[in-house]
Amino acid sequence: EPEVTQTPSHQVTQMGQEVILRCVPISNHLYFYWYRQILGQKVEFLVSFYNNEISEKSEIFDDQFSVERPDGSNFTLKIRSTKLEDSAMYFCASNQGAAGYTFGSGTRLTVV
Amino acid sequence: QKEVEQDPGPLSVPEGAIVSLNCTYSNSAFQYFMWYRQYSRKGPELLMYTYSSGNKEDGRFTAQVDKSSKYISLFIRDSQPSDSATYLCALPPNAGGTSYGKLTFGQGTILTVHP
């Protein structure tokens, strides 16, 4: 079964450093997303991406965040200057239709 | 008012019990709803997808929608230890039925089924 692949599974970074989280969505999907889940809290939407541009973003997705699809397969989330409160699980998802949302296993980001 | 609310539990039941998980939502225009299951340190996976009111059954799982009360439920029959996970209700991108866009998740209910 097709899956969304995320790397790395765990990233530890120092406060103020830049991190790039990587995702390979399902190949024939056209919409891509990043979600975040702080420990013990709900899964929160960050951004959606379609046709090489952001289609929607939440208030969480400020200037410190950016997304990119550098080639035909990868989809990345960059955090320019990490803060302690950025520590969370970050999930990439892609979809084709409402029943077709598929999430990756996530990257656990720890900012120290 | 939050778009969707869900009792976070935790819920602990013995193996074989019937489990009832519930969410309420605020916008009566929504037409379909989703339930996701999330195992520890994994991403959410779609469990069930229901449209409009009534019941939908899939094996041991039944999803129920009561649009008059804006209440959605997931029932698990003959619960198994492997059902231990967090269960998340989710609203689709918008009430108009567009298939693309953000999902809005409930808080998630942590379920433990003990042998």
Side-chain angles (χ1 to χ4, degrees):
Chain A
E1 188 169 325
E3 58 182 26
V4 174
T5 305
Q6 288 187 245
T7 55
S9 57
H10 187 199
Q11 172 99 42
V12 180
T13 189
Q14 291 205 327
M15 192 167 53
Q17 294 296 303
E18 175 184 285
V19 293
I20 297 176
L21 309 183
R22 303 180 190 279
C23 169
V24 179
I26 293 175
S27 60
N28 63 340
H29 286 183
L30 300 177
Y31 278 76
F32 315 115
Y33 311 86
W34 285 101
Y35 288 79
R36 179 181 82 174
Q37 187 175 32
I38 295 171
L39 185 64
Q41 298 186 25
K42 61 168 58 178
V43 178
E44 300 175 291
F45 168 78
L46 292 178
V47 65
S48 60
F49 191 86
Y50 171 72
N51 200 25
N52 282 320
E53 61 182 24
I54 291 173
S55 50
E56 186 178 3
K57 61 182 180 179
S58 71
E59 60 275 10
I60 302 169
F61 195 88
D62 61 21
D63 292 343
Q64 291 299 310
F65 291 87
S66 62
V67 289
E68 193 177 37
R69 188 156 164 81
D71 52 43
S73 59
N74 290 284
F75 179 51
T76 62
L77 174 70
K78 182 194 290 186
I79 309 174
R80 288 191 184 80
S81 178
T82 49
K83 308 181 189 70
L84 294 175
E85 55 264 36
D86 294 327
S87 295
M89 285 289 288
Y90 288 81
F91 295 107
C92 174
S94 65
N95 86 303
Q96 186 177 30
Y101 285 87
T102 303
F103 286 78
S105 289
T107 293
R108 181 156 62 104
L109 177 65
T110 303
V111 182
V112 297
Chain B
Q1 187 179 11
K2 293 181 182 178
E3 286 185 286
V4 58
E5 298 204 46
Q6 182 176 10
D7 184 345
L11 194 58
S12 180
V13 301
E15 184 174 354
I18 296 174
V19 176
S20 172
L21 306 164
N22 310 293
C23 288
T24 57
Y25 61 97
S26 57
N27 187 341
S28 59
F30 280 103
Q31 296 294 314
Y32 60 94
F33 310 89
M34 289 160 273
W35 283 96
Y36 281 79
R37 177 174 60 193
Q38 184 179 23
Y39 290 112
S40 181
R41 299 201 184 279
K42 296 291 186 183
E45 58 174 326
L46 182 66
L47 194 59
M48 294 196 72
Y49 171 90
T50 58
Y51 183 82
S52 193
S53 285
N55 295 353
K56 180 177 180 179
E57 195 172 310
D58 184 2
R60 296 185 294 110
F61 297 87
T62 300
Q64 190 174 77
V65 178
D66 180 349
K67 293 187 72 179
S68 62
S69 303
K70 291 184 280 187
Y71 197 79
I72 57 176
S73 302
L74 178 71
F75 298 96
I76 308 174
R77 290 187 303 281
D78 187 26
S79 55
Q80 302 295 309
S82 58
D83 295 327
S84 298
T86 298
Y87 290 81
L88 308 148
C89 58
L91 298 179
N94 60 61
T98 303
S99 299
Y100 301 95
K102 72 174 187 180
L103 299 176
T104 301
F105 286 93
Q107 177 79 11
T109 301
I110 301 169
L111 172 68
T112 302
V113 181
H114 50 87

